[in-house]
Amino acid sequence: MPLPPRPNTATGGIRSAPIVRSGVIYYTLGANAYALDARTGKQIWHYVGSSSGGISNRGLAISGDTLFMMANGGLTAISAATGEELWRKAADGPVPASAPVVIRDHVIFGMGADGGSVRSWLESRDPKTGEVQWKWFATPGVGEEGIETWPDVQAANRGAGTPWQPLSYDPKLNLLYIGTGNPAPTKDGRTRGGDNLWTSSIVAINPDTGKMAWFFQMTPHDDHDYDGNQSIMLFDAKIDGKDRRLLGMVGRNAYMFVLDRATGKNVYTKKFFETANWAFPALRPDGTPEPNPAKSPSRGGSLVNPSSEGATNYPVASYSPQTGLIYAYTVNSWSIFYNGNETWFGDFRSAVKAWDAKNGKLAWEHAYREPYGIQARYPGLLTTAGGLVVTGDVSGNAIALDAKTGKALWHDPLPGYPVTNAPQTYFLDGRQYILLASGENLYAYTIN
């Protein structure tokens, strides 16, 4: 069957997870922000910015009557009622396309580039004035903890590590959890020997001070562009008879990590693609995979699984407290890595997988027959209390799976590209809606 077309390359399609409040949907498309009536889809207002920090803007944050967006070369505040621009504050570096997050009187977002030679950081600004409150740098400076994992300060200062994925927050612990990006140079670690902290890691930050509480590195000395910018899930579970406050991430490097979110201590690490070969079979004592130098990029090429597109990627994974399962969209792919670049090959077979959050054991797999290259990784996942996993398949359908079994319950062919964002759900006038995007269009479904 013919594959659906790619989204409009001028915008990258809708990648943002919409915000729904008081009967209004807010979302972004490129440098644009929109407000729609959540009952009818009718446009209320349309904001046009000058640039979005990338073609695939990931969305908005909201505080009171103000929306915040990474656009116009920095942070922009927009009236939620009218779409009027209230103020804009320029950034001190490259602006990624990530959505900011509001925690009390902080608007927090990542800064830096996905590649290149910059020292990236996480930044907090005052939501009323846009003034900088604090910065946390993703690579250490002179005399700081972690600098010993770089050959010198110069290498660390151009080491990237951009935290561009939306953040997670635990209000009881008052800890903000972020994933950091890959180190630079990308796919070439010859000039940056060592583990290269705090790149390709999960980091806990105090949102009031910007001080790091703990870190866990998922990919030491990352030279395959695996980064740590996958969604972070917070959940509670009883393990070995003890109630635990946990954090989970399904990693781009083909490992799943579950940590104690108060301390960062590893609960378990589980490889979810047996074909993954970039690390030795044995883990480090702290649960971190040990990279195999024989699989580093080389002049003649090294055959590695997964490719830099990852066993999963930025589209959100999900956790259901009803089933106790973690869900993620996965793609199995291979590459030959050369110094600084790679050649993808294979058919990029994709599947939705579900694992027991307590131990990482596979519960079910909903595999798709059609290959679809790296684009197979776009759809995010939504789990509902009604027992659904909502996503999109590689053939251009919106699809709902049974959260316990993975069985397809219903699907709807979309007249364009497969699902390109994280689906959202909301209740209004006694009805439950499912909202998802395909290319440059939003689609709303109601659940009977």
Side-chain angles (χ1 to χ4, degrees):
M1 63 182 297
L3 296 174
R6 296 192 179 196
N8 186 320
T9 54
T11 63
I14 298 171
R15 305 288 182 87
S16 61
I19 294 173
V20 183
R21 193 182 75 170
S22 301
V24 179
I25 299 167
Y26 304 97
Y27 73 98
T28 62
L29 173 62
N32 302 271
Y34 296 86
L36 308 180
D37 186 308
R39 295 174 175 85
T40 66
K42 182 180 179 180
Q43 182 175 299
I44 299 171
W45 53 253
H46 173 199
Y47 169 81
V48 181
S50 60
S51 66
S52 65
I55 64 170
S56 54
N57 191 280
R58 305 291 162 78
L60 301 156
I62 191 167
S63 177
D65 296 324
T66 305
L67 295 161
F68 300 95
M69 177 182 180
M70 301 306 294
N72 309 309
L75 180 66
T76 299
I78 304 167
S79 167
T82 66
E84 175 188 5
E85 183 178 306
L86 303 176
W87 49 257
R88 63 173 71 176
K89 294 292 182 179
D92 298 330
V95 180
S98 59
V101 171
V102 175
I103 299 175
R104 295 185 298 277
D105 58 346
H106 308 287
V107 183
I108 302 172
F109 51 89
M111 287 293 300
D114 190 30
S117 298
V118 296
R119 189 184 184 206
S120 302
W121 68 90
L122 190 71
E123 181 172 319
S124 175
R125 297 214 178 197
D126 188 301
K128 295 181 179 178
T129 66
E131 297 304 313
V132 176
Q133 296 171 325
W134 53 255
K135 293 182 179 181
W136 175 83
F137 287 91
T139 59
V142 177
E144 294 180 352
E145 178 190 1
I147 194 64
E148 72 281 357
T149 66
W150 294 84
D152 51 50
V153 173
Q154 290 74 26
N157 282 342
R158 57 177 182 266
T162 306
W164 51 261
Q165 178 80 337
L167 318 171
S168 298
Y169 175 65
D170 184 330
K172 292 185 178 179
L173 295 175
N174 194 32
L175 287 178
L176 179 69
Y177 305 97
I178 64 169
T180 59
N182 54 278
T186 306
K187 305 175 192 174
D188 190 348
R190 290 175 296 174
T191 61
R192 49 174 176 82
D195 282 355
N196 305 146
L197 291 172
W198 289 280
T199 66
S200 301
S201 299
I202 300 170
V203 180
I205 302 285
N206 183 311
D208 298 313
T209 65
K211 301 297 184 183
M212 182 175 68
W214 56 257
F215 73 89
F216 180 88
Q217 191 171 41
M218 299 171 295
T219 310
H221 188 72
D222 181 3
D223 53 11
H224 298 100
D225 193 13
Y226 290 151
D227 75 28
N229 279 302
Q230 290 76 62
S231 51
I232 293 175
M233 295 160 283
L234 308 183
F235 60 95
D236 299 337
K238 188 181 292 290
I239 297 180
D240 296 330
K242 296 181 180 179
D243 293 325
R244 303 290 298 271
R245 301 172 68 88
L246 302 173
L247 173 156
M249 178 185 281
V250 182
R252 187 165 163 175
N253 63 5
Y255 287 81
M256 183 190 305
F257 303 90
V258 170
L259 312 176
D260 183 302
R261 67 177 184 264
T263 65
K265 299 298 183 183
N266 181 266
V267 177
Y268 69 81
T269 298
K270 181 84 169 182
K271 185 164 73 169
F272 61 88
F273 273 146
E274 289 305 316
T275 48
N277 66 355
W278 64 272
F280 288 115
L283 302 171
R284 292 181 180 181
D286 65 355
T288 298
E290 183 67 64
N292 181 354
K295 292 300 179 180
S296 289
S298 61
R299 182 177 180 181
S302 301
L303 178 61
V304 179
N305 179 282
S307 74
S308 69
E309 290 300 319
T312 189
N313 208 289
Y314 71 85
V316 297
S318 188
Y319 168 80
S320 170
Q322 279 75 33
T323 64
L325 301 179
I326 290 173
Y327 307 85
Y329 214 110
T330 65
V331 181
N332 201 351
S333 62
W334 294 79
S335 274
I336 299 176
F337 282 83
Y338 304 93
N339 292 322
N341 59 68
E342 70 180 299
T343 299
W344 295 315
F345 72 94
D347 56 10
F348 288 77
R349 294 287 173 173
S350 61
V352 177
K353 293 178 184 285
W355 303 270
D356 188 326
K358 295 180 181 180
N359 53 31
K361 182 179 179 181
L362 184 68
W364 55 257
E365 176 180 353
H366 184 91
Y368 297 112
R369 294 182 179 181
E370 303 92 339
Y372 195 44
I374 66 170
Q375 310 302 335
R377 63 182 169 82
Y378 276 137
L381 295 170
L382 167 72
T383 52
T384 74
L388 297 181
V389 177
V390 182
T391 185
D393 68 15
V394 296
S395 300
N397 295 289
I399 186 169
L401 308 176
D402 185 296
K404 291 182 179 179
T405 66
K407 179 183 177 181
L409 300 177
W410 55 261
H411 70 277
D412 184 39
L414 299 172
Y417 193 74
V419 173
T420 52
N421 77 334
Q424 178 65 284
T425 188
Y426 60 95
F427 287 89
L428 195 59
D429 302 332
R431 305 176 75 188
Q432 182 180 4
Y433 292 79
I434 299 291
L435 188 66
L436 51 80
S438 175
E440 296 187 347
N441 301 310
L442 276 177
Y443 298 87
Y445 300 83
T446 56
I447 304 299
N448 295 326

